[in-house]
Amino acid sequence: MVLVTGGTGLVGAHLLLHLIESGSTDNKKIRATYRELKSIQKTKSLFESYNKAPLFDAIEWIKADIIDVPSLEEAFQEIEYVYHCAAVISFDPKDEALLRKTNIEGTANVVNLCLVNKIKKLCHVSSTAALGDLTGNELIITEETEWNPEKPHSDYAISKYGAEMEIWRGQQEGLNVIIVNPGVIIGPGFLNQGSGQLFEKIRNGLSFYTNGSTGFVAVSDVVKIMTQLMKSTITNQRYTLISQNIIFRDLLNMISDALNTNRPKHHANPFLLSLAWRADWFLSSIFQSKRKITKATAKASYSINEYSNEKVKTALEYHFQEVEEYIKKITPLF
């Protein structure tokens, strides 16, 4: 039996669809975790948007939280393979404790139960945020780039790096593991998070762009690669999953064109962004509201980061989808 933690998130939901549709589980049953019953509807709606509603009934849902060991123990009954997709994504400093507890402690719980239940293989969804820091003579971030604890990192990045340390601990104790480090994941079905929020902001008239850059990848590529790695004999490796390194302005233009709406016209330079995150901090402190822009997200929006995907392309002979073509393909689903 196959277990998918975080089956109601962007990656988890698409992974469930791909596992069922492609038969990648070799006829093994699929179990997925959820924390709140209403959240299952998001995954069901995703299946419906792809006209795959009948496949949804193939999932065995179980209520479990990765930071609640008793519920997780029940989820692990009769499981052979685990895809660990559950995580908290936030760049709000107020969520530091939640990030560490869920992403690090929760992953430690998953690893421990994998060891206890003699799981055959674990695939962990990490992030490019957990990759290393370039030194003065390096230009491209790879799986071998070393993490420098002396450099500033967001709480989210630290939590994902800590989660990876738990995965490697499991590997040292005899667990077969795979780690994937996706860049910014583009995909439909979740308007309140990630790329879904970006599509909504552009549809509603986003005015500002930045000239930073990072790696982007289609969610369909992420789940295909995960399943291929799990079915392969490859173990104890990590892979950066990005299709292309893209300047944020160019990505915003791609989405604007696909939505047939106006492109953002105003450049948000570092100085303007520094004013924006400080103002947002002040207002959120006064009104106790969720942060819209933080120091970490402001810095990321004008930082230039380039990632290599050569390792996974070589290992699987994989060809990534072009981001612009994928955006055109999924826009009707938003």
Side-chain angles (χ1 to χ4, degrees):
M1 198 172 210
V2 175
L3 175 66
V4 176
T5 70
T8 60
L10 175 64
V11 174
H14 279 86
L15 176 62
L16 289 168
L17 177 58
H18 179 68
L19 287 170
I20 299 166
E21 188 175 25
S22 65
S24 298
T25 59
D26 296 326
N27 296 319
K28 293 181 176 64
K29 294 182 179 179
I30 300 173
R31 179 181 294 160
T33 67
Y34 72 94
R35 290 190 301 159
E36 297 181 357
L37 190 60
K38 64 181 181 180
S39 62
I40 295 177
Q41 183 59 45
K42 294 187 294 185
T43 303
K44 186 175 182 180
S45 296
L46 180 77
F47 277 57
E48 291 169 349
S49 70
Y50 283 111
N51 295 318
K52 304 291 182 181
L55 299 181
F56 181 80
D57 294 332
I59 305 167
E60 177 188 310
W61 290 97
I62 185 167
K63 186 175 183 178
D65 192 321
I66 60 174
I67 60 175
D68 176 28
V69 175
S71 69
L72 203 55
E73 286 177 332
E74 184 177 351
F76 265 80
Q77 297 301 308
E78 302 178 355
I79 295 298
E80 296 177 276
Y81 298 91
V82 176
Y83 291 89
H84 179 35
C85 306
V88 170
I89 302 173
S90 175
F91 295 94
D92 190 332
K94 295 176 184 176
D95 291 333
E96 178 184 3
L98 177 63
L99 284 163
R100 290 176 181 263
K101 186 167 186 65
T102 304
N103 295 350
I104 301 177
E105 183 181 322
T107 299
N109 293 337
V110 170
V111 168
N112 292 339
L113 285 170
C114 283
L115 290 167
V116 168
N117 290 280
K118 295 180 170 49
I119 297 303
K120 294 179 180 178
K121 201 170 184 179
L122 164 67
C123 178
H124 170 64
V125 181
S126 185
S127 166
T128 51
L131 294 175
D133 304 283
L134 295 175
T135 60
N137 60 345
E138 295 177 318
L139 298 175
I140 301 177
I141 299 171
T142 73
E143 294 83 356
E144 306 305 318
T145 305
E146 293 188 13
W147 175 278
N148 184 351
E150 301 299 320
K151 291 205 172 180
H153 301 93
S154 68
D155 293 325
Y156 172 69
I158 292 169
S159 74
K160 295 302 282 186
Y161 177 77
E164 288 194 13
M165 293 304 99
E166 294 296 336
I167 298 295
W168 295 128
R169 172 182 63 83
Q171 181 259 322
Q172 291 173 352
E173 295 180 30
L175 180 63
N176 291 320
V177 303
I178 286 291
I179 296 176
V180 293
N181 297 81
V184 177
I185 301 173
I186 305 293
F190 294 80
L191 296 179
N192 62 338
Q193 59 183 261
S195 61
Q197 286 183 320
L198 190 57
F199 273 76
E200 280 297 285
K201 287 180 179 178
I202 294 173
R203 191 193 303 274
N204 293 330
L206 183 65
S207 299
F208 293 92
Y209 66 86
T210 65
N211 285 323
S213 68
T214 193
F216 293 86
V217 63
V219 68
S220 54
D221 281 329
V222 173
V223 299
K224 286 176 185 176
I225 290 172
M226 288 169 65
T227 54
Q228 287 185 31
L229 288 170
M230 284 289 271
K231 292 189 72 173
S232 75
T233 58
I234 298 170
T235 59
N236 309 331
Q237 296 289 330
R238 73 199 297 224
Y239 294 94
T240 303
L241 308 189
I242 66 123
S243 171
Q244 298 161 261
N245 295 288
I246 303 175
I247 296 171
F248 290 118
R249 181 182 187 179
D250 293 340
L251 183 85
L252 297 178
N253 288 343
M254 291 176 193
I255 298 174
S256 299
D257 294 346
L259 291 171
N260 194 29
T261 189
N262 293 329
R263 293 179 172 188
K265 295 180 179 180
H266 305 293
H267 178 216
N269 58 41
F271 176 72
L272 184 61
L273 289 167
S274 70
L275 294 178
W277 75 256
R278 286 176 170 85
D280 184 68
W281 168 82
F282 177 75
L283 292 172
S284 69
S285 299
I286 296 296
F287 297 106
Q288 295 299 303
S289 57
K290 196 75 173 174
R291 296 289 298 276
K292 295 181 176 63
I293 180 171
T294 67
K295 184 177 181 179
T297 54
K299 181 181 178 182
S301 68
Y302 59 76
S303 298
I304 298 175
N305 295 306
E306 186 167 351
Y307 300 91
S308 171
N309 60 10
E310 288 302 316
K311 183 177 179 180
V312 74
K313 288 200 301 183
T314 300
L316 299 179
E317 297 183 353
Y318 193 84
H319 298 283
F320 285 90
Q321 300 175 72
E322 292 287 330
V323 171
E324 185 170 12
E325 292 306 311
Y326 182 68
I327 287 172
K328 293 177 183 176
K329 179 180 177 181
I330 65 171
T331 297
L333 301 177
F334 281 96

Coordinates of all heavy atoms in Angstrom, one line a residue, residues 138-222:
E138 N 31.2 30.6 -7.5 CA 30.1 29.7 -8.0 C 29.0 30.6 -8.6 O 28.7 31.7 -8.1 CB 29.6 28.8 -6.9 CG 30.6 27.9 -6.3 CD 30.0 27.1 -5.2 OE1 29.3 27.6 -4.3 OE2 30.2 25.8 -5.1
L139 N 28.4 30.0 -9.7 CA 27.3 30.7 -10.4 C 26.0 30.0 -10.3 O 24.9 30.7 -10.4 CB 27.7 31.0 -11.8 CG 29.0 31.8 -12.1 CD1 29.3 31.8 -13.6 CD2 28.8 33.2 -11.5
I140 N 26.0 28.7 -10.3 CA 24.8 27.9 -10.4 C 24.6 27.0 -9.2 O 25.6 26.3 -8.8 CB 24.7 27.1 -11.7 CG1 24.9 28.0 -12.9 CG2 23.5 26.2 -11.7 CD1 24.9 27.2 -14.2
I141 N 23.4 27.0 -8.6 CA 23.2 26.2 -7.4 C 22.8 24.8 -7.8 O 21.9 24.6 -8.7 CB 22.0 26.8 -6.6 CG1 22.4 28.2 -6.1 CG2 21.7 25.9 -5.4 CD1 21.2 28.9 -5.4
T142 N 23.5 23.8 -7.3 CA 23.3 22.4 -7.6 C 23.0 21.6 -6.3 O 23.0 22.2 -5.2 CB 24.5 21.7 -8.3 OG1 25.5 21.6 -7.3 CG2 25.0 22.6 -9.4
E143 N 22.7 20.3 -6.4 CA 22.5 19.5 -5.2 C 23.7 19.4 -4.3 O 23.6 19.1 -3.2 CB 22.1 18.1 -5.7 CG 20.8 18.0 -6.4 CD 20.9 18.3 -7.9 OE1 22.0 18.7 -8.4 OE2 19.8 18.2 -8.6
E144 N 24.9 19.8 -4.9 CA 26.1 19.7 -4.1 C 26.5 21.0 -3.4 O 27.5 21.1 -2.7 CB 27.3 19.2 -5.0 CG 27.0 17.9 -5.7 CD 26.6 16.8 -4.8 OE1 27.2 16.7 -3.7 OE2 25.6 16.0 -5.1
T145 N 25.8 22.1 -3.8 CA 26.1 23.4 -3.2 C 25.9 23.3 -1.7 O 24.9 22.9 -1.2 CB 25.2 24.5 -3.8 OG1 25.4 24.5 -5.2 CG2 25.7 25.8 -3.2
E146 N 26.9 23.7 -0.9 CA 26.9 23.6 0.5 C 26.0 24.7 1.2 O 26.1 25.8 0.9 CB 28.3 23.6 1.1 CG 29.1 22.4 0.7 CD 30.4 22.3 1.5 OE1 30.6 23.0 2.5 OE2 31.3 21.5 1.1
W147 N 25.3 24.2 2.2 CA 24.5 25.2 3.0 C 25.4 25.9 4.0 O 26.2 25.3 4.7 CB 23.4 24.4 3.8 CG 22.6 25.1 4.8 CD1 23.0 25.5 6.1 CD2 21.3 25.6 4.6 NE1 22.0 26.1 6.7 CE2 20.9 26.3 5.8 CE3 20.4 25.6 3.6 CZ2 19.7 26.9 6.0 CZ3 19.1 26.2 3.7 CH2 18.8 26.8 4.9
N148 N 25.3 27.2 4.0 CA 26.1 28.0 4.9 C 25.3 28.6 6.0 O 24.5 29.5 5.8 CB 26.8 29.2 4.1 CG 27.8 30.0 4.9 OD1 27.8 29.8 6.2 ND2 28.5 30.9 4.3
P149 N 25.4 28.0 7.3 CA 24.6 28.5 8.4 C 24.9 29.9 8.8 O 24.1 30.5 9.5 CB 25.0 27.5 9.5 CG 26.3 27.0 9.1 CD 26.4 27.0 7.6
E150 N 26.0 30.5 8.3 CA 26.3 31.9 8.7 C 25.6 32.9 7.8 O 25.5 34.1 8.2 CB 27.8 32.1 8.5 CG 28.7 31.2 9.3 CD 28.5 31.4 10.8 OE1 28.3 32.6 11.2 OE2 28.5 30.4 11.5
K151 N 25.0 32.4 6.7 CA 24.2 33.3 5.8 C 22.8 33.4 6.3 O 22.2 32.4 6.9 CB 24.3 32.9 4.4 CG 25.7 33.0 3.8 CD 25.7 33.1 2.3 CE 27.0 33.5 1.7 NZ 27.0 33.6 0.3
P152 N 22.1 34.5 6.0 CA 20.7 34.6 6.4 C 19.8 33.7 5.6 O 20.0 33.6 4.3 CB 20.4 36.1 6.2 CG 21.4 36.6 5.1 CD 22.6 35.8 5.4
H153 N 18.9 33.1 6.2 CA 17.9 32.2 5.5 C 16.5 32.5 6.1 O 16.4 32.8 7.3 CB 18.2 30.7 5.7 CG 19.5 30.3 5.1 ND1 20.7 30.3 5.9 CD2 19.9 30.0 3.9 CE1 21.7 29.9 5.2 NE2 21.3 29.7 3.9
S154 N 15.5 32.3 5.3 CA 14.1 32.5 5.9 C 13.8 31.3 6.8 O 14.4 30.3 6.8 CB 13.1 32.5 4.7 OG 13.0 31.2 4.1
D155 N 12.8 31.6 7.7 CA 12.4 30.5 8.6 C 11.9 29.3 7.8 O 12.1 28.1 8.2 CB 11.3 31.0 9.5 CG 11.8 32.1 10.5 OD1 12.9 32.0 10.9 OD2 11.0 33.0 10.8
Y156 N 11.3 29.5 6.7 CA 10.8 28.4 5.9 C 12.0 27.6 5.3 O 12.0 26.4 5.4 CB 10.0 28.9 4.7 CG 9.6 27.9 3.7 CD1 8.7 26.9 4.0 CD2 10.2 27.9 2.4 CE1 8.4 25.9 3.0 CE2 9.9 26.9 1.5 CZ 9.0 25.9 1.8 OH 8.7 24.9 0.9
A157 N 13.0 28.3 4.8 CA 14.2 27.6 4.3 C 14.9 26.8 5.4 O 15.3 25.6 5.2 CB 15.2 28.6 3.7
I158 N 15.0 27.3 6.6 CA 15.6 26.6 7.7 C 14.8 25.4 8.1 O 15.4 24.3 8.4 CB 15.8 27.6 8.9 CG1 16.8 28.7 8.6 CG2 16.2 26.8 10.2 CD1 16.8 29.8 9.7
S159 N 13.5 25.5 8.1 CA 12.7 24.4 8.4 C 12.8 23.3 7.4 O 12.8 22.1 7.7 CB 11.2 24.8 8.6 OG 10.6 25.1 7.3
K160 N 12.9 23.6 6.1 CA 13.0 22.6 5.1 C 14.4 21.9 5.1 O 14.5 20.7 4.9 CB 12.7 23.2 3.7 CG 11.3 23.7 3.5 CD 10.3 22.6 3.7 CE 10.2 21.6 2.5 NZ 9.0 20.6 2.7
Y161 N 15.4 22.7 5.4 CA 16.7 22.2 5.6 C 16.8 21.2 6.8 O 17.3 20.1 6.7 CB 17.8 23.3 5.8 CG 19.2 22.8 6.0 CD1 20.0 22.4 5.0 CD2 19.7 22.8 7.3 CE1 21.3 21.9 5.2 CE2 21.0 22.4 7.5 CZ 21.8 21.9 6.5 OH 23.1 21.5 6.7
G162 N 16.1 21.6 7.9 CA 16.1 20.8 9.0 C 15.3 19.5 8.7 O 15.7 18.4 9.2
A163 N 14.3 19.6 7.9 CA 13.5 18.4 7.5 C 14.4 17.4 6.7 O 14.4 16.2 6.9 CB 12.3 18.8 6.7
E164 N 15.2 18.0 5.9 CA 16.1 17.1 5.1 C 17.1 16.4 6.0 O 17.5 15.3 5.8 CB 16.9 17.9 4.0 CG 16.0 18.4 2.9 CD 16.9 18.9 1.7 OE1 18.1 18.7 1.7 OE2 16.3 19.5 0.8
M165 N 17.6 17.1 7.1 CA 18.5 16.4 8.0 C 17.8 15.2 8.7 O 18.5 14.2 8.9 CB 18.9 17.4 9.1 CG 19.8 18.6 8.6 SD 21.3 18.0 7.7 CE 20.8 18.2 6.0
E166 N 16.5 15.3 8.9 CA 15.8 14.1 9.4 C 15.7 13.0 8.4 O 15.8 11.8 8.8 CB 14.4 14.6 9.9 CG 14.4 15.5 11.1 CD 14.9 14.9 12.3 OE1 14.9 13.7 12.5 OE2 15.4 15.7 13.2
I167 N 15.6 13.4 7.2 CA 15.5 12.3 6.1 C 16.9 11.6 6.0 O 16.9 10.4 5.9 CB 15.2 13.0 4.7 CG1 13.8 13.6 4.8 CG2 15.3 11.9 3.6 CD1 12.6 12.7 5.0
W168 N 18.0 12.4 6.1 CA 19.3 11.8 6.0 C 19.6 11.0 7.3 O 20.3 9.9 7.2 CB 20.4 12.8 5.8 CG 20.3 13.5 4.5 CD1 20.2 14.9 4.2 CD2 20.2 12.9 3.2 NE1 20.1 15.1 2.9 CE2 20.1 14.0 2.2 CE3 20.1 11.6 2.7 CZ2 20.0 13.7 0.8 CZ3 20.0 11.4 1.3 CH2 19.9 12.4 0.4
R169 N 19.0 11.4 8.4 CA 19.1 10.5 9.6 C 18.5 9.2 9.4 O 19.1 8.1 9.7 CB 18.5 11.2 10.8 CG 18.4 10.3 12.1 CD 17.7 11.0 13.2 NE 16.3 11.4 12.9 CZ 15.3 10.5 13.0 NH1 15.5 9.2 13.4 NH2 14.0 10.9 12.8
G170 N 17.3 9.2 8.8 CA 16.6 7.9 8.4 C 17.4 7.1 7.5 O 17.5 5.9 7.7
Q171 N 18.1 7.7 6.5 CA 18.9 7.0 5.6 C 20.1 6.3 6.3 O 20.4 5.2 6.0 CB 19.4 8.0 4.5 CG 20.3 7.3 3.4 CD 21.8 7.5 3.7 OE1 22.2 8.6 4.1 NE2 22.6 6.6 3.4
Q172 N 20.7 7.0 7.2 CA 21.8 6.5 8.0 C 21.3 5.3 8.9 O 22.2 4.4 9.2 CB 22.4 7.5 8.9 CG 23.2 8.6 8.1 CD 23.6 9.8 8.9 OE1 23.3 9.9 10.1 NE2 24.4 10.7 8.3
E173 N 20.1 5.2 9.2 CA 19.5 4.2 10.0 C 18.9 3.0 9.2 O 18.3 2.1 9.7 CB 18.5 4.7 11.0 CG 19.1 5.7 12.0 CD 18.1 6.2 13.0 OE1 17.1 5.5 13.3 OE2 18.2 7.3 13.5
G174 N 19.2 3.1 7.8 CA 18.8 2.0 7.0 C 17.6 2.2 6.1 O 17.2 1.3 5.3
L175 N 17.0 3.4 6.1 CA 15.8 3.7 5.3 C 16.3 4.1 3.9 O 17.2 4.9 3.7 CB 15.0 4.8 5.9 CG 13.7 5.3 5.2 CD1 12.7 4.2 5.1 CD2 13.2 6.5 6.0
N176 N 15.6 3.6 2.8 CA 15.8 4.0 1.5 C 15.1 5.3 1.2 O 13.8 5.4 1.4 CB 15.4 3.0 0.5 CG 16.3 1.7 0.5 OD1 17.5 1.8 0.6 ND2 15.7 0.6 0.4
V177 N 15.8 6.4 0.8 CA 15.1 7.7 0.7 C 15.4 8.3 -0.7 O 16.4 8.0 -1.3 CB 15.5 8.6 1.8 CG1 15.2 8.0 3.1 CG2 17.0 9.0 1.7
I178 N 14.5 9.2 -1.1 CA 14.7 10.1 -2.2 C 14.2 11.5 -1.7 O 13.2 11.6 -1.1 CB 13.9 9.7 -3.4 CG1 14.6 8.5 -4.1 CG2 13.8 10.8 -4.4 CD1 15.9 8.7 -4.8
I179 N 15.0 12.5 -2.1 CA 14.6 13.9 -1.8 C 14.4 14.6 -3.1 O 15.3 14.6 -3.9 CB 15.5 14.7 -0.9 CG1 15.6 14.0 0.5 CG2 15.2 16.1 -0.7 CD1 16.6 14.6 1.4
V180 N 13.3 15.3 -3.3 CA 13.2 16.2 -4.5 C 13.1 17.7 -4.0 O 12.5 17.9 -3.0 CB 12.0 15.9 -5.4 CG1 12.2 14.5 -6.0 CG2 10.7 15.9 -4.6
N181 N 13.8 18.5 -4.7 CA 13.8 20.0 -4.3 C 13.2 20.8 -5.5 O 14.0 21.3 -6.3 CB 15.3 20.4 -4.1 CG 15.9 19.7 -2.9 OD1 16.4 18.6 -3.0 ND2 16.0 20.4 -1.8
P182 N 11.9 20.9 -5.5 CA 11.3 21.7 -6.5 C 11.5 23.2 -6.4 O 11.7 23.7 -5.2 CB 9.8 21.4 -6.4 CG 9.7 20.3 -5.4 CD 10.9 20.3 -4.6
G183 N 11.6 23.9 -7.5 CA 11.6 25.4 -7.4 C 10.1 25.8 -7.2 O 9.3 25.1 -6.5
V184 N 9.8 27.0 -7.6 CA 8.4 27.5 -7.5 C 7.5 26.7 -8.4 O 7.7 26.6 -9.6 CB 8.3 29.0 -7.9 CG1 6.9 29.5 -7.8 CG2 9.2 29.9 -7.0
I185 N 6.5 26.0 -7.8 CA 5.7 25.1 -8.5 C 4.5 25.8 -9.1 O 3.7 26.4 -8.4 CB 5.2 24.0 -7.6 CG1 6.5 23.2 -7.0 CG2 4.3 23.0 -8.3 CD1 6.1 22.2 -5.9
I186 N 4.3 25.6 -10.4 CA 3.2 26.2 -11.1 C 2.1 25.1 -11.3 O 2.4 24.0 -11.8 CB 3.6 26.7 -12.5 CG1 4.7 27.7 -12.4 CG2 2.4 27.3 -13.2 CD1 4.4 29.0 -11.7
G187 N 0.9 25.4 -10.9 CA -0.1 24.3 -11.1 C -1.5 24.9 -10.7 O -1.6 25.8 -9.9
P188 N -2.6 24.3 -11.2 CA -3.9 24.7 -11.0 C -4.6 24.1 -9.7 O -4.0 23.1 -9.2 CB -4.7 24.3 -12.2 CG -4.0 23.0 -12.6 CD -2.5 23.2 -12.2
G189 N -5.7 24.6 -9.3 CA -6.5 24.0 -8.3 C -6.5 24.5 -6.9 O -7.3 24.2 -6.1
F190 N -5.5 25.4 -6.7 CA -5.4 25.9 -5.3 C -5.2 27.5 -5.4 O -4.1 27.9 -5.3 CB -4.3 25.3 -4.6 CG -4.5 23.8 -4.4 CD1 -4.3 22.9 -5.4 CD2 -5.0 23.3 -3.2 CE1 -4.6 21.5 -5.2 CE2 -5.2 22.0 -2.9 CZ -5.0 21.1 -4.0
L191 N -6.3 28.2 -5.4 CA -6.2 29.6 -5.6 C -5.7 30.4 -4.4 O -5.3 31.5 -4.5 CB -7.6 30.2 -6.0 CG -8.2 29.7 -7.3 CD1 -9.6 30.3 -7.5 CD2 -7.3 30.0 -8.5
N192 N -5.7 29.7 -3.3 CA -5.3 30.4 -2.0 C -3.9 30.2 -1.7 O -3.4 30.6 -0.6 CB -6.2 30.0 -0.9 CG -6.1 28.5 -0.6 OD1 -5.7 27.7 -1.4 ND2 -6.4 28.1 0.7
Q193 N -3.1 29.6 -2.5 CA -1.7 29.3 -2.2 C -0.8 29.3 -3.5 O -1.3 29.0 -4.6 CB -1.6 28.0 -1.5 CG -2.1 26.8 -2.2 CD -2.0 25.5 -1.4 OE1 -1.1 24.7 -1.6 NE2 -2.9 25.3 -0.5
G194 N 0.5 29.6 -3.3 CA 1.4 29.5 -4.3 C 1.1 30.2 -5.6 O 0.6 31.3 -5.6
S195 N 1.2 29.4 -6.7 CA 1.0 30.0 -8.0 C -0.5 30.4 -8.2 O -0.8 31.3 -9.0 CB 1.5 29.0 -9.1 OG 0.7 27.8 -9.1
G196 N -1.4 29.7 -7.5 CA -2.8 30.1 -7.6 C -3.0 31.5 -7.2 O -3.8 32.2 -7.8
Q197 N -2.4 31.9 -6.1 CA -2.5 33.3 -5.7 C -2.0 34.3 -6.7 O -2.5 35.3 -6.9 CB -1.7 33.5 -4.4 CG -2.4 32.9 -3.1 CD -1.6 33.2 -1.9 OE1 -0.4 33.1 -1.9 NE2 -2.3 33.5 -0.8
L198 N -0.9 33.8 -7.4 CA -0.3 34.7 -8.4 C -1.2 34.9 -9.5 O -1.4 36.0 -10.0 CB 1.1 34.1 -8.8 CG 2.0 34.9 -9.7 CD1 2.3 36.2 -9.0 CD2 3.2 34.2 -10.1
F199 N -1.8 33.9 -10.0 CA -2.8 34.0 -11.1 C -3.9 34.9 -10.7 O -4.4 35.7 -11.5 CB -3.4 32.6 -11.5 CG -2.5 31.8 -12.5 CD1 -1.3 31.2 -12.1 CD2 -2.9 31.7 -13.8 CE1 -0.6 30.5 -13.0 CE2 -2.2 31.0 -14.7 CZ -1.0 30.4 -14.3
E200 N -4.4 34.8 -9.5 CA -5.5 35.6 -9.0 C -5.1 37.1 -8.9 O -5.9 38.0 -9.3 CB -6.0 35.2 -7.6 CG -6.9 34.0 -7.7 CD -8.2 34.3 -8.4 OE1 -9.1 34.9 -7.9 OE2 -8.3 33.8 -9.6
K201 N -3.9 37.4 -8.4 CA -3.4 38.8 -8.3 C -3.3 39.4 -9.7 O -3.7 40.6 -9.9 CB -2.1 38.8 -7.6 CG -2.2 38.5 -6.1 CD -0.8 38.6 -5.5 CE -0.9 38.3 -4.0 NZ 0.4 38.3 -3.3
I202 N -2.8 38.6 -10.7 CA -2.7 39.2 -12.0 C -4.0 39.4 -12.7 O -4.3 40.4 -13.4 CB -1.8 38.2 -12.9 CG1 -0.3 38.2 -12.3 CG2 -1.8 38.6 -14.4 CD1 0.6 37.2 -13.0
R203 N -4.9 38.4 -12.5 CA -6.3 38.6 -13.0 C -7.0 39.8 -12.4 O -7.7 40.5 -13.1 CB -7.1 37.3 -12.7 CG -8.5 37.3 -13.4 CD -9.4 36.2 -12.8 NE -8.7 34.9 -12.8 CZ -8.8 34.0 -13.8 NH1 -9.4 34.4 -14.9 NH2 -8.2 32.9 -13.7
N204 N -6.6 40.2 -11.2 CA -7.3 41.3 -10.5 C -6.5 42.6 -10.8 O -6.9 43.6 -10.2 CB -7.4 41.0 -9.0 CG -8.4 39.9 -8.7 OD1 -9.3 39.7 -9.4 ND2 -8.1 39.2 -7.6
G205 N -5.4 42.6 -11.6 CA -4.8 43.8 -12.0 C -3.5 44.1 -11.2 O -3.3 45.2 -10.7
L206 N -2.6 43.1 -11.1 CA -1.3 43.4 -10.5 C -0.5 44.4 -11.3 O -0.3 44.3 -12.5 CB -0.5 42.1 -10.4 CG 0.9 42.1 -9.7 CD1 0.7 42.4 -8.2 CD2 1.6 40.8 -9.9
S207 N 0.0 45.4 -10.6 CA 0.7 46.5 -11.2 C 2.2 46.5 -11.2 O 2.8 47.1 -12.1 CB 0.2 47.9 -10.6 OG -1.2 48.0 -10.7
F208 N 2.8 45.8 -10.3 CA 4.2 45.8 -10.1 C 4.9 44.5 -10.5 O 4.3 43.4 -10.3 CB 4.5 46.1 -8.6 CG 4.1 47.5 -8.2 CD1 2.8 47.7 -7.6 CD2 5.0 48.6 -8.3 CE1 2.4 49.0 -7.2 CE2 4.6 49.9 -7.9 CZ 3.3 50.1 -7.4
Y209 N 6.1 44.7 -11.0 CA 7.0 43.5 -11.3 C 8.3 43.8 -10.6 O 8.7 44.9 -10.2 CB 7.1 43.4 -12.8 CG 7.9 44.5 -13.5 CD1 9.3 44.5 -13.6 CD2 7.2 45.6 -14.0 CE1 10.0 45.5 -14.2 CE2 7.9 46.6 -14.7 CZ 9.3 46.6 -14.7 OH 9.9 47.6 -15.3
T210 N 9.1 42.7 -10.6 CA 10.5 42.8 -10.1 C 11.4 42.1 -11.1 O 10.9 41.3 -12.0 CB 10.7 42.1 -8.7 OG1 10.5 40.7 -8.8 CG2 9.8 42.7 -7.7
N211 N 12.7 42.3 -11.0 CA 13.6 41.7 -11.9 C 14.5 40.6 -11.3 O 15.6 40.3 -11.9 CB 14.5 42.8 -12.6 CG 13.7 43.6 -13.6 OD1 12.9 43.1 -14.4 ND2 14.0 44.9 -13.6
G212 N 14.1 40.1 -10.2 CA 14.8 39.0 -9.6 C 14.5 37.7 -10.5 O 13.7 37.8 -11.4
S213 N 15.1 36.6 -10.1 CA 14.8 35.4 -10.9 C 15.0 34.2 -10.0 O 15.7 34.2 -9.0 CB 15.8 35.2 -12.1 OG 17.1 35.0 -11.7
T214 N 14.3 33.1 -10.4 CA 14.5 31.8 -9.6 C 14.0 30.7 -10.6 O 13.7 30.9 -11.7 CB 13.6 31.8 -8.3 OG1 14.0 30.7 -7.5 CG2 12.1 31.8 -8.6
G215 N 14.0 29.5 -10.1 CA 13.6 28.3 -10.9 C 12.1 28.0 -10.7 O 11.6 28.1 -9.6
F216 N 11.5 27.7 -11.9 CA 10.1 27.3 -11.9 C 9.9 26.0 -12.5 O 10.7 25.5 -13.3 CB 9.3 28.4 -12.7 CG 9.3 29.7 -12.1 CD1 10.3 30.7 -12.3 CD2 8.2 30.1 -11.2 CE1 10.3 31.9 -11.7 CE2 8.2 31.4 -10.6 CZ 9.2 32.3 -10.9
V217 N 8.8 25.3 -12.1 CA 8.5 23.9 -12.6 C 7.0 23.7 -12.6 O 6.3 24.2 -11.7 CB 9.3 22.9 -11.7 CG1 8.8 22.9 -10.3 CG2 9.2 21.5 -12.3
A218 N 6.6 22.9 -13.5 CA 5.2 22.5 -13.6 C 4.9 21.4 -12.5 O 5.7 20.5 -12.4 CB 4.8 22.0 -15.0
V219 N 3.8 21.5 -11.9 CA 3.5 20.5 -10.9 C 3.4 19.1 -11.5 O 3.7 18.1 -10.9 CB 2.2 20.8 -10.1 CG1 0.9 20.7 -11.0 CG2 2.0 19.9 -8.9
S220 N 3.0 19.0 -12.7 CA 2.9 17.7 -13.4 C 4.3 17.1 -13.6 O 4.4 15.9 -13.5 CB 2.2 17.9 -14.8 OG 2.8 18.9 -15.5
D221 N 5.3 17.9 -13.8 CA 6.7 17.4 -13.9 C 7.1 16.9 -12.5 O 7.8 15.9 -12.4 CB 7.6 18.5 -14.4 CG 7.6 18.7 -15.9 OD1 7.3 17.7 -16.6 OD2 7.8 19.8 -16.4
V222 N 6.8 17.6 -11.5 CA 7.2 17.2 -10.1 C 6.7 15.8 -9.8 O 7.4 15.0 -9.4 CB 6.7 18.3 -9.1 CG1 7.0 17.8 -7.7 CG2 7.4 19.6 -9.3

